[in-house]
Amino acid sequence: MFKGRDIISIRDFSRKEIDYLLRVAKKVEETPEDRLKVLQGKIMGSLFFEPSTRTRLSFEVAMKKLGGEVVGFSEPALTSIKKGETLADTIRVVENYVDVIVLRHPLEGSARMAADYASIPIINAGSGAEEHPTQAFLDLYTIYKEKGRIDGLNIGILGDLRYGRTVHSLTYALSLYNDITLYLISPEQLKMRREVLENIRDKLKFKEMLNVEKALPELDVLYVTRIQKERFPDLSEYERVKGTYRITLSTLKKAKKDLILMHPLPRVDEVDVEVDKTSHAVYFKQVKYGLITRMALLGLVLGVF
Amino acid sequence: MKAYRKLRVEKIREGTVIDHITGGTALAVLRILNITGHEGFIVSVIMNVPSKKLGKKDIVKIEGREISPKEVAEIALVAPKATINIIRDFNVVKKEKVKLPDIVKDIIKCTNPSCITNSPEPVKPVFHVKSKDPILLRCYYCGTILDKNAIIKQF
């Protein structure tokens, strides 16, 4: 199902395939570490054309935990790219050295093009503002692990729904599941794009709202994203809305006891640090789930799981 | 009065008649065919005539020029219901409806400036036809959706 396959966009996957990945991830999580060295002798090329500490570390550690090795760069300024080499050429050179390529590139569609040129699997670790499929996989794994299911949940997504790529990939992925109600909570100017809504309209119920308080008692999952200052032409408008979308202990008073609070990180101040101590906070666990999901994915595309 | 309501353009001897063009898009069709008016042959353009099928339609008649399959595919992008009539010696010798292919390759550009197809990389724009009526194309690389207006602007 996954062997030799490129991982470019969440849209390329069916529910059946995603469920299979989640089951493999669970198996990986339950396997003792010394029995996981299944990728010995395999090499991952880690090509990061723009900075990304967390995603890069996560992939590199995932490969190493499976016994594999990593080569690559995170500073394209130091490589032949600076001399004007195209991505297509870089891919065709690097594929001779490694078994799988993990690519982050600022241009949208870059991973798709790389996959067309390469004969080895390409894993998209973020291409422009468009796609970040492994983040969506790890978000689903987090929900699946913490709630025991994905079907039938009330899920709130809060913050920048217009520009956040993780939000678009996650929304699409959730539309593959049954009986989900999505609460889309954002300021007016950061509402979910119409084309994303058009795609999910027939597949799941959703409610758009400006304010989290009303939705909170209903929610099983609240996914918080950062509202960036740069998105507001008028700074005073930003200052005004910022507080409304901040999650604090007092906001959570109305929440269900077993609500889980997720965040793709980095966090600035949209979730108060006091919240970290509560059982709602799973955002640091999410990082661990990300590592496990990427281990599962690497093992799957390289044909060992 | 009835005669006046009929189309006032004469039949052509040799050439192509493109009928059932979406009302108001005849000029885009001429741009697709690279017809500027300086070529010398006779071109008749009739715009926004009433049509049972389309409400309003345009018709283009070109004397002495036949059109290529690539041009037919391009016309389908702006006028998906157009019909192409090849005329020889005043008779229609071939009549075909334009057909939008499922994949549109290297005809129009992606409107997303951050799309890889707008970079110096060796890659041609490719679109999947998401819907034929109304026309919606989805960039194979970056996923950007192009609607009718975004497509017509390119010709």
Side-chain angles (χ1 to χ4, degrees):
Chain A
M1 205 186 266
F2 279 86
K3 190 179 175 188
R5 188 161 172 184
D6 301 306
I7 311 294
I8 306 301
S9 163
I10 188 82
R11 288 165 191 279
D12 300 339
F13 293 87
S14 65
R15 163 157 189 180
K16 200 174 149 205
E17 290 165 332
I18 295 175
D19 283 347
Y20 181 68
L21 168 68
L22 301 185
R23 283 199 301 275
V24 171
K26 190 161 178 270
K27 246 187 229 166
V28 168
E29 194 176 352
E30 288 161 359
T31 306
E33 247 183 54
D34 57 335
R35 285 179 44 205
L36 274 174
K37 306 283 180 197
V38 287
L39 288 183
Q40 264 166 5
K42 299 283 185 193
I43 303 176
M44 179 184 97
S46 167
L47 311 189
F48 278 71
F49 288 81
E50 59 175 20
S52 153
T53 319
R54 278 173 315 277
T55 305
R56 184 171 60 83
L57 285 181
S58 180
F59 268 110
E60 294 186 1
V61 172
M63 189 64 182
K64 289 183 178 183
K65 279 196 178 278
L66 293 171
E69 295 190 44
V70 179
V71 296
F73 55 80
S74 55
E75 287 288 335
L78 304 175
T79 67
S80 55
I81 288 95
K82 207 187 160 197
K83 298 175 196 158
E85 185 176 62
T86 61
L87 172 63
D89 282 4
T90 305
I91 293 293
R92 282 178 290 184
V93 170
V94 175
E95 73 164 332
N96 292 290
Y97 304 141
V98 301
D99 301 285
V100 55
I101 289 175
V102 173
L103 174 73
R104 161 148 321 178
H105 194 279
L107 289 178
E108 292 170 37
S110 49
R112 184 78 68 194
M113 184 201 73
D116 287 348
Y117 273 100
S119 52
I120 60 167
I122 300 284
I123 300 179
N124 185 3
S127 47
E130 170 216 8
E131 284 278 5
H132 196 354
T134 62
Q135 177 74 42
F137 289 145
L138 81 86
D139 291 338
L140 290 178
Y141 187 61
T142 303
I143 298 173
Y144 167 68
K145 278 295 305 220
E146 291 294 319
K147 306 301 292 183
R149 67 196 161 108
I150 297 170
D151 290 321
L153 295 176
N154 291 337
I155 300 176
I157 308 183
L158 174 118
D160 183 352
L161 311 187
R162 185 171 172 76
Y163 299 98
R165 64 180 162 195
T166 56
V167 166
H168 299 154
S169 295
L170 178 62
T171 303
Y172 176 79
L174 290 174
S175 74
L176 300 175
Y177 288 82
N178 300 325
D179 282 333
I180 286 182
T181 305
L182 265 190
Y183 294 76
L184 302 169
I185 309 149
S186 71
E188 192 63 41
Q189 51 273 70
L190 297 178
K191 274 166 89 169
M192 187 75 90
R193 289 171 199 232
R194 295 303 98 182
E195 63 256 35
V196 179
L197 291 184
E198 284 310 314
N199 276 328
I200 59 166
R201 194 171 289 281
D202 308 330
K203 297 173 195 143
L204 46 73
K205 284 175 277 174
F206 63 86
K207 298 176 184 171
E208 293 186 278
M209 32 187 56
L210 297 171
N211 186 308
V212 68
E213 269 84 30
K214 238 181 161 180
L216 207 63
E218 309 293 326
L219 297 180
D220 302 302
V221 177
L222 179 57
Y223 194 97
V224 183
T225 65
R226 184 151 57 100
I227 292 179
Q228 293 181 36
K229 221 189 269 183
E230 306 86 87
R231 304 291 184 209
F232 288 81
D234 182 355
L235 210 60
S236 63
E237 182 64 17
Y238 166 76
E239 293 299 336
R240 195 178 66 77
V241 304
K242 150 176 116 164
T244 322
Y245 296 93
R246 202 158 172 258
I247 303 298
T248 62
L249 286 178
S250 91
T251 335
L252 288 172
K253 274 185 191 150
K254 288 183 193 152
K256 284 188 190 173
K257 266 203 173 119
D258 60 352
L259 165 86
I260 60 163
L261 202 56
M262 297 169 65
H263 193 301
L265 303 180
R267 157 183 66 172
V268 180
D269 58 0
E270 55 278 8
V271 180
D272 191 281
V273 287
E274 288 292 317
V275 175
D276 299 356
K277 292 181 280 193
T278 68
S279 60
H280 299 302
V282 301
Y283 27 88
F284 292 113
K285 267 175 153 176
Q286 216 175 326
V287 176
K288 188 180 157 228
Y289 291 140
L291 175 64
I292 289 157
T293 311
R294 289 182 176 118
M295 286 169 75
L297 209 52
L298 284 167
L300 280 169
V301 299
L302 291 171
V304 295
F305 290 146
Chain B
M1 264 328 263
K2 205 175 174 192
Y4 181 76
R5 283 171 62 90
K6 282 196 171 169
L7 304 179
R8 290 140 295 174
V9 178
E10 282 181 21
K11 279 189 166 185
I12 60 172
R13 178 188 282 275
E14 308 281 336
T16 307
V17 175
I18 309 169
D19 198 356
H20 301 111
I21 299 170
T22 316
T25 48
L27 296 178
V29 170
L30 290 181
R31 282 195 293 274
I32 287 169
L33 299 174
N34 274 321
I35 293 174
T36 61
H38 295 294
E39 293 79 10
F41 43 75
I42 299 170
V43 179
S44 315
V45 179
I46 306 155
M47 294 179 79
N48 295 320
V49 292
S51 155
K52 273 186 199 158
K53 259 202 274 177
L54 301 176
K56 280 177 183 173
K57 68 171 183 178
D58 293 0
I59 305 167
V60 170
K61 296 188 175 196
I62 312 153
E63 287 258 22
R65 167 135 153 28
E66 292 185 8
I67 62 177
S68 70
K70 184 172 184 260
E71 288 169 330
V72 175
E74 290 174 359
I75 291 169
L77 283 174
V78 300
K81 296 213 164 70
T83 47
I84 313 261
N85 302 278
I86 307 293
I87 313 290
R88 292 204 187 117
D89 203 19
F90 295 112
N91 290 316
V92 177
V93 294
K94 196 176 155 200
K95 183 170 185 162
E96 62 171 330
K97 282 190 175 168
V98 297
K99 195 170 175 279
L100 199 59
D102 294 332
I103 292 173
V104 176
K105 198 172 177 185
D106 201 17
I107 294 178
I108 49 169
K109 285 184 175 173
C110 184
T111 51
N112 172 7
S114 303
C115 178
I116 191 89
T117 59
N118 289 317
S119 75
E121 294 290 335
V123 59
K124 303 258 189 268
V126 176
F127 293 87
H128 289 261
V129 178
K130 207 176 156 231
S131 148
K132 293 196 174 183
D133 194 16
I135 186 164
L136 288 176
L137 305 181
R138 184 170 203 276
C139 175
Y140 164 70
Y141 291 99
C142 76
T144 297
I145 306 280
L146 268 62
D147 64 6
K148 187 183 151 200
N149 290 334
I151 296 164
I152 286 184
K153 265 189 208 158
Q154 301 204 18
F155 294 105

